[in-house]
Amino acid sequence: MALSFCGIELAHPVINASGTYDALAARRVFGEVFDENFPFSAYVSKTITLEPRRGNPPPRLWELGQGMINSIGLPNKGLVGFIESDLPEYATLPAPLIVSVMGFSGEELATILQTLDGHDEIAAFELNFSCPNVKTGNIVGSDPGECGAMMGRLRACSRKPMIAKLAPSTSRPDLVALAAEEAGADAISLVNTLPGMAYAPETHTPWLGAGSGGISGPALRPVALGQVARVSTAVKIPVVGMGGVENGRDAQALLAAGATVIAVGTENFRDPAAGSRIAAEISRG
């Protein structure tokens, strides 16, 4: 099942969704067995921002019958902390490293990419376009004009492959993806979580500390299939499909819809070896 994705050689088509698998923590727990049985063909880091973030206040999770709502809030050490602390460890993982980045402005994203561009440990960047443009309020990953403008600005900031991760909250993901492709994206990644809320049954007040969060897991699967199918017919670049993948059957459906690579997210919380299992299930057909 080996394949080439954005010039990166992958042993199989299964990677992780950003923020759903802490490889460094897993290595500390499982030791040498972890490296020998690394579950993904490439590893996508937690999203990093220019400045450190503590994340959202707790509670941060609400379980659903078919998934969860998370309100983690991108906690990370910031660009400098990432370079000094996490990047050296990530570089020793037995798989190519894709770094997920997000900025609250084009300037912030440009600074991150320009700073990281010279690090050979990094194989590619995933551009988390789920943040609103501070000037317009539009979600960059759901608006063709915003997405194309941002992608065009960032393309000159790095020689590395760039994967545009789009927001699912749009009725025309094909137009957003096409705008990203025309502005220089090397691949499209979708879908990200859908916005949602949960209310505590006793108090009838929002459960999550930040009020709302993102829905992930099996409940998202039909949305993912629909958007991957629509986008893959609109663009010529590869598509990373994700959303509710629990097993090989789910992954094969996304591949049939046009995805080149499958990302596993919520299922990693239940099964740390989900990536390897799903890759094996795909190979068996």
Side-chain angles (χ1 to χ4, degrees), residues 86-144:
D86 291 346
L87 185 56
E89 288 194 71
Y90 280 141
T92 65
L93 294 175
L97 174 63
I98 300 171
V99 175
S100 175
V101 299
M102 193 190 82
F104 295 95
S105 67
E107 291 82 1
E108 288 190 5
L109 265 171
T111 298
I112 295 170
L113 293 173
Q114 290 165 347
T115 303
L116 294 177
D117 183 54
H119 288 268
D120 294 336
E121 311 96 311
I122 301 171
F125 293 113
E126 179 187 78
L127 309 177
N128 187 344
F129 280 163
S130 294
C131 182
N133 182 312
V134 293
K135 293 181 180 179
T136 67
N138 294 335
I139 303 294
V140 174
S142 64
D143 182 283

Side-chain angles (χ1 to χ4, degrees), residues 214-259:
I215 302 169
S216 67
L220 202 59
R221 193 183 305 137
V223 177
L225 281 169
Q227 295 210 1
V228 167
R230 193 165 186 175
V231 166
S232 65
T233 60
V235 301
K236 297 181 176 64
I237 55 179
V239 172
V240 180
M242 69 186 78
V245 175
E246 295 183 289
N247 49 52
R249 182 179 63 251
D250 300 334
Q252 287 170 332
L254 280 171
L255 293 171

Side-chain angles (χ1 to χ4, degrees), residues 202-215:
E202 297 85 3
T203 62
H204 304 291
T205 57
W207 170 263
L208 297 167
S212 62
I215 302 169

Side-chain angles (χ1 to χ4, degrees), residues 4 50 66 99 141 194 237:
S4 180
L50 184 61
Q66 287 291 312
V99 175
L194 277 169
I237 55 179

Side-chain angles (χ1 to χ4, degrees), residues 123-209:
F125 293 113
E126 179 187 78
L127 309 177
N128 187 344
F129 280 163
S130 294
C131 182
N133 182 312
V134 293
K135 293 181 180 179
T136 67
N138 294 335
I139 303 294
V140 174
S142 64
D143 182 283
E146 296 279 2
C147 188
M150 184 68 78
M151 189 70 241
R153 175 175 187 174
L154 299 178
R155 182 64 272 180
C157 296
S158 174
R159 301 159 295 153
K160 298 182 187 295
M162 293 187 185
I163 306 162
K165 187 171 186 179
L166 307 183
S169 49
T170 174
S171 61
R172 295 301 306 269
D174 51 337
L175 297 184
V176 183
L178 188 59
E181 178 185 38
E182 291 175 345
D186 298 285
I188 301 296
S189 177
L190 73 164
V191 296
N192 208 330
T193 58
L194 277 169
M197 293 183 69
Y199 275 69
E202 297 85 3
T203 62
H204 304 291
T205 57
W207 170 263
L208 297 167

